[in-house]
Amino acid sequence: MTSDRERQHLALTRAAQLSSSYLDALDTAPVGATASLAQLRERLALPLSDTGVDPVTVIDDLARAVDGGLLGSAGGRFYGWVIGGGLPSALAADWLTGTWDQNAGLYACAPAAAVVEEVCGAWLKELLGLPATASFALVTGCQMAHVTCLAAARHAVLQRAGWDVHRDGLSGSPRIRVLTSQEVHGTCTRAIKILGLGTANMETLPTDDTSRLRPEALREALARERDRPTIVILQAGDVNCGAFDPFEASIRLAHAAGAWVHVDGAMGLWCHAAPELRPLLAGADQADSWATDGHKWLNVPYDSGYAFVAHPDAHRASMSHRASYLVHADDARDELDWTPEHSRRARGFATYAALRELGRAGVADLVTRCCRFAHELATRIGALPGARTICVPQINQGLVRFYDRRTGANDEEHDSRTDAVIAAINASGEAFFTGTTWRGIRCMRTSVSNWRTTTSDIDRAVAAAGRAIAQVALR
Ligand SMILES: *Cc1c(COP(=O)(O)O)cnc(C)c1O
């Protein structure tokens, strides 16, 4: 008979073995998925067991069943979307987070987790160049960081207009407008929907040919409907070209008009850690709130995002919650005062580990290395026959397009050529990319955010692109 304690030990040991062998195989395993939807369903959709299954069997079966259904995004040749890896200490701390199983909503419920988050907040503000007085929250991702920051913004701009949104809601309130650029990320739009601000109250302003918001367009928009409470959303690093809005000029204009400025810095805020990239963020520290991610560039496992608010009162007013059965701390941090969650994962441990493992120089090196690799990837693939770099990365995001080289081929044919080459690279298992439609044309995005990526990974990805181009041309 196996005791509960032995079963626990065996399951954890098994998980550690499976994890190590998974990570060791990343270099040789196909990067894309190899199992089909039907296969995955067949393997996973077992009848719900009546009597339960031994824990080690559960873990073994699970690992076997998902084989081929996992993308190699933890590895160095995954360049799709914007996906970070997991640093060794962050991954290990993430395991311990599950083991310790703290409910990090209140200091009283998880004292060490509360202090770790306090420290993470201070470290992050310093690294990202944000005011030391800003409040912060560790949330599930940049999406919820937007929701957190924009909830504070909604409260603050309506309070200035004499309206208490927490008491009276949005029905009958002054109509908030949101000014942003046409490159705004969909998660900002979603936060606006979630917060009841309404996408019809959003105005997407034109950008220049480097995808930066034109301050002139912002000035004109602000001059219209001057009495409406206004939120301006700026971007630090868009997903296609890594564009940074001109913060200094935009924030000056917005503040002169009484608007709240929120910065989507999912990737771009990390550029503050690297001195040569820091100028891209000039003036961004003057904003009212900022959102970024831990699970992208910092290489903390999912789920990890960070919200920062320059006005702690507005932040706290929009999140804080009291109940007689809870125990509230006087001098410690109760996370539920700052997050849109109640019971929550002690996600600070993984961030704490990542920041300690890397240190200031390590974060700077991770950021510059990813930028250098993204540059190499986009320019070397763009130099292949039948390819062109459409956006040369200034940070870790770029665009490449593939051309149908038959005479008279049109844009539509170049579009399908681009999609076909992406599909052929992915099918080769050597690397993984995703596409986008940018200014009306299909492109392949080259996004590098993983600490594991090496020069040899870039060589392999470029070689795979060369083979894919030749293979598609022969069809
Ligand atoms: C990824 C991303 C987001 C959303 O972040 P999640 O962590 O996926 O919620 C927002 N803005 C930009 C620019 C992003 O790249």
Side-chain angles (χ1 to χ4, degrees), residues 40-125:
L40 291 169
R41 281 189 178 145
E42 191 192 312
R43 292 189 217 152
L44 289 159
L46 307 170
L48 179 62
S49 141
D50 278 328
T51 53
V53 178
D54 167 72
V56 177
T57 308
V58 171
I59 295 304
D60 276 336
D61 286 354
L62 177 64
R64 228 186 340 261
V66 300
D67 188 39
L70 303 174
L71 291 187
S73 49
R77 279 169 290 111
F78 192 93
Y79 312 113
W81 301 290
V82 185
I83 305 267
L87 288 161
S89 69
L91 174 57
D94 194 60
W95 287 1
L96 286 173
T97 305
T99 306
W100 294 334
D101 198 24
Q102 300 290 287
N103 181 344
L106 292 170
Y107 173 78
C109 197
V115 174
V116 157
E117 291 196 22
E118 226 170 64
V119 175
C120 288
W123 284 352
L124 288 167
K125 283 185 277 181

Side-chain angles (χ1 to χ4, degrees), residues 10 13 15 32 50 67 79 89-90 131 139 167 189 192 194 216 224 262 273 299 317 319 362 396 418-419 450-451 464:
L10 288 170
T13 312
D50 278 328
D67 188 39
Y79 312 113
S89 69
V139 292
R167 192 190 58 203
T189 311
I192 285 162
I194 292 170
E216 215 29 61
R224 295 190 290 270
H262 174 66
N299 280 253
M319 292 297 150
N396 62 338
T418 299
D419 286 328
N450 197 315
W451 71 277

Side-chain angles (χ1 to χ4, degrees), residues 82 141-143 146 185 187 235 237 239 264 266-267 293 295-296:
V82 185
C142 197
Q143 169 72 78
H146 289 324
H185 195 266
T187 51
Q235 184 156 221
V239 291
D264 177 357
M267 290 164 274
D293 263 318
H295 52 216
K296 289 180 180 172

Side-chain angles (χ1 to χ4, degrees), residues 52 85 229-230 309 314 318 332 350 401 449:
T230 303
V309 181
S318 58
R401 179 163 163 84
S449 315

Side-chain angles (χ1 to χ4, degrees), residues 2-9:
T2 324
S3 71
D4 283 348
R5 188 191 285 197
E6 278 170 290
R7 266 196 290 273
Q8 177 76 84
H9 176 75

